[in-house]
Amino acid sequence: MSLREHALSLFRGALGTVRPAPMLRRALKLQGDGCPQLLVKGQAFPVKRDLYLVGFGKAVLGMAAAAEEILGDHLTRGIISVPLGIQESLQRAGMQEMLLKPHSRIQVIEGAKNNLPDAEALKGAVAIQELAEGLTADDLLLVLISGGGSALLPAPIPPILLEEKEKLTKLLASRGAAIQELNIVRKTLSVLKGGGLAQLAHPAQVVSLILSDVIGDPLDIIASGPTAASSHSVQDCLQILTKYNLLHNLPKSVEMVLSSSPTKPTAPENYSHVSNIILGSNTLALEEARRQAEGLGYAALVLSAAVQGEVGCVATLYCQLIQLVCLGFSSLGEGPLGDELRGNLLQLAAELQIPGLHLEEFLQALQGLGPNRPVCILAGGETTVRLQGTGRGGRNQELVLRVGLGLHKAQATGASSPQGKCEILFLSGGTDGQDGPTEAAGAFCSPGLVAEALQEGLDVEAFLRNNDSYTFFSQFQGGHHLLVTGLTGTNVMDIQAILIRAMERS
């Protein structure tokens, strides 16, 4: 098999393990008829009276379809808030298993066009709020959460209007507020976020099943944490509004809510009726890819499930890792060039501040792999792209093109002649099947990509300056380097794979 086929197989294997239906079937079971019990990853929750379901997020439709199949007639009623047009998209893609059956007990409300809160999403949030408020101590509420849930659950604390909250959020963003700061303000002004949904459902038992699309899987950040204790208070919100000079021109409704909000976050002991369980994450997807890579004969290592930072810096990190592995193949890894590469890598990792990355340990493990065994390095997370141009393409395609360019330049300077003794492939793809506003999930490259493109008269650096990686890959070899999966119905951020094996001597 070619490296490309191997990489595709690993990516599909990783996706398979975080697709909603298999993920739920592995984790969720219903046992017994007299007093049935809901078993989640071995934890038992008695269903004393009625079992309800609510959900919000981009992958929740598929999760709900699988959950209803498992729960059967024990499910009393459900409401889910999902992105506008998702049912039609899945229908068109022939993904029937992600759709609810006719006569389902779950009501679907579509909203949040372009991932922005709107009147339809508000309608969904209000319906979920009303269901939660009507629960008793003998009821069980199953909550399904995935990325994109925040925009699908907007319920500002009265008398704040949705438009007022959105206007304030946009104003903060335009003044340079970080996403974490925006989320703190949103949570403070919301009925359901920051643990609000769990509090409204009290005294019912609340069991949340979560598909994480956030680095590190923090419960209070995924979909703004509607069933997790918030670690922030109204003081944090006021500090942020002061920092961006907005405290003195707030709408009256926001002033009213802030002045009457409790100053301390709800105590963790008030969440004793809640169990939050992460069902799917980037880490789980990478573990499956690693297992499959080993089955294909690779020495497989996971670099990190939290790769973040500017796409150009991350591309440099990957290029230098590739060169280091190739030096190992030519037994030059212990020389001055290997030392220089290791020094550069440690410096880059320090700049990128990737959470939980122990690069020195990783490099030691890499050195201990032994010569000439094919190597697979896996990583995941979410990079950022500084938009300068008007082209098309997402962070994965741009990352692949930048890695391709980096490998080409290393070869051209002769700094890494051992590269010529290795077969190399790099893949990066979004697990939701989409990368920016294109039908591709990502792309592949090998070291010869840029040289071949130059022969065809394509200026790679010009495409990068215009953030136009998709147009480049579409024009080049008929899009052969694009990774196209179609909608996957799941989302655990991005996955990268580096595959390297020694060239076969002819």
Side-chain angles (χ1 to χ4, degrees), residues 57 121 183 217 294 408 436 484:
N183 282 340
D217 310 331
E294 285 174 349
H408 171 76
V484 181

PDB file of all heavy atoms in Angstrom, residues 57 121 183 217 294 408 436 484:
ATOM      1  N   GLY A  57     -25.790  21.143  19.482  1.00  0.00           N
ATOM      2  CA  GLY A  57     -24.453  21.050  18.899  1.00  0.00           C
ATOM      3  C   GLY A  57     -24.490  20.487  17.497  1.00  0.00           C
ATOM      4  O   GLY A  57     -25.509  19.975  17.031  1.00  0.00           O
ATOM      5  N   ALA A 121     -32.659  29.579  17.144  1.00  0.00           N
ATOM      6  CA  ALA A 121     -31.855  28.968  18.211  1.00  0.00           C
ATOM      7  C   ALA A 121     -32.419  29.354  19.583  1.00  0.00           C
ATOM      8  O   ALA A 121     -32.444  28.540  20.510  1.00  0.00           O
ATOM      9  CB  ALA A 121     -30.398  29.403  18.090  1.00  0.00           C
ATOM     10  N   ASN A 183     -16.512  34.217  26.032  1.00  0.00           N
ATOM     11  CA  ASN A 183     -17.312  33.150  26.642  1.00  0.00           C
ATOM     12  C   ASN A 183     -17.700  33.468  28.081  1.00  0.00           C
ATOM     13  O   ASN A 183     -18.800  33.145  28.514  1.00  0.00           O
ATOM     14  CB  ASN A 183     -16.562  31.809  26.589  1.00  0.00           C
ATOM     15  CG  ASN A 183     -16.639  31.194  25.195  1.00  0.00           C
ATOM     16  OD1 ASN A 183     -17.498  31.536  24.400  1.00  0.00           O
ATOM     17  ND2 ASN A 183     -15.720  30.297  24.887  1.00  0.00           N
ATOM     18  N   ASP A 217     -10.301  19.355  26.639  1.00  0.00           N
ATOM     19  CA  ASP A 217     -11.645  18.900  27.048  1.00  0.00           C
ATOM     20  C   ASP A 217     -12.156  19.556  28.340  1.00  0.00           C
ATOM     21  O   ASP A 217     -12.680  18.864  29.230  1.00  0.00           O
ATOM     22  CB  ASP A 217     -11.674  17.367  27.225  1.00  0.00           C
ATOM     23  CG  ASP A 217     -11.090  16.635  26.023  1.00  0.00           C
ATOM     24  OD1 ASP A 217     -11.180  17.176  24.912  1.00  0.00           O
ATOM     25  OD2 ASP A 217     -10.550  15.522  26.195  1.00  0.00           O
ATOM     26  N   GLU A 294       0.059   0.905  14.149  1.00  0.00           N
ATOM     27  CA  GLU A 294       0.883  -0.212  14.628  1.00  0.00           C
ATOM     28  C   GLU A 294       0.502  -1.505  13.901  1.00  0.00           C
ATOM     29  O   GLU A 294       1.354  -2.321  13.566  1.00  0.00           O
ATOM     30  CB  GLU A 294       0.757  -0.360  16.146  1.00  0.00           C
ATOM     31  CG  GLU A 294       1.552   0.729  16.857  1.00  0.00           C
ATOM     32  CD  GLU A 294       1.380   0.748  18.367  1.00  0.00           C
ATOM     33  OE1 GLU A 294       0.476   0.053  18.881  1.00  0.00           O
ATOM     34  OE2 GLU A 294       2.146   1.485  19.024  1.00  0.00           O
ATOM     35  N   HIS A 408      10.385  21.432   0.747  1.00  0.00           N
ATOM     36  CA  HIS A 408      11.024  21.794  -0.530  1.00  0.00           C
ATOM     37  C   HIS A 408      12.251  22.679  -0.273  1.00  0.00           C
ATOM     38  O   HIS A 408      13.324  22.462  -0.838  1.00  0.00           O
ATOM     39  CB  HIS A 408      10.003  22.518  -1.419  1.00  0.00           C
ATOM     40  CG  HIS A 408      10.605  23.120  -2.650  1.00  0.00           C
ATOM     41  ND1 HIS A 408      10.961  22.369  -3.745  1.00  0.00           N
ATOM     42  CD2 HIS A 408      10.919  24.415  -2.953  1.00  0.00           C
ATOM     43  CE1 HIS A 408      11.468  23.173  -4.672  1.00  0.00           C
ATOM     44  NE2 HIS A 408      11.448  24.414  -4.219  1.00  0.00           N
ATOM     45  N   GLY A 436     -12.630  25.094   6.278  1.00  0.00           N
ATOM     46  CA  GLY A 436     -12.966  26.395   5.689  1.00  0.00           C
ATOM     47  C   GLY A 436     -14.186  26.244   4.797  1.00  0.00           C
ATOM     48  O   GLY A 436     -14.906  25.259   4.851  1.00  0.00           O
ATOM     49  N   VAL A 484     -10.973  14.496   0.770  1.00  0.00           N
ATOM     50  CA  VAL A 484     -12.425  14.750   0.693  1.00  0.00           C
ATOM     51  C   VAL A 484     -13.156  13.573   1.338  1.00  0.00           C
ATOM     52  O   VAL A 484     -13.065  12.439   0.876  1.00  0.00           O
ATOM     53  CB  VAL A 484     -12.889  14.941  -0.769  1.00  0.00           C
ATOM     54  CG1 VAL A 484     -14.380  15.232  -0.831  1.00  0.00           C
ATOM     55  CG2 VAL A 484     -12.112  16.084  -1.429  1.00  0.00           C
TER      56      VAL A 484
END
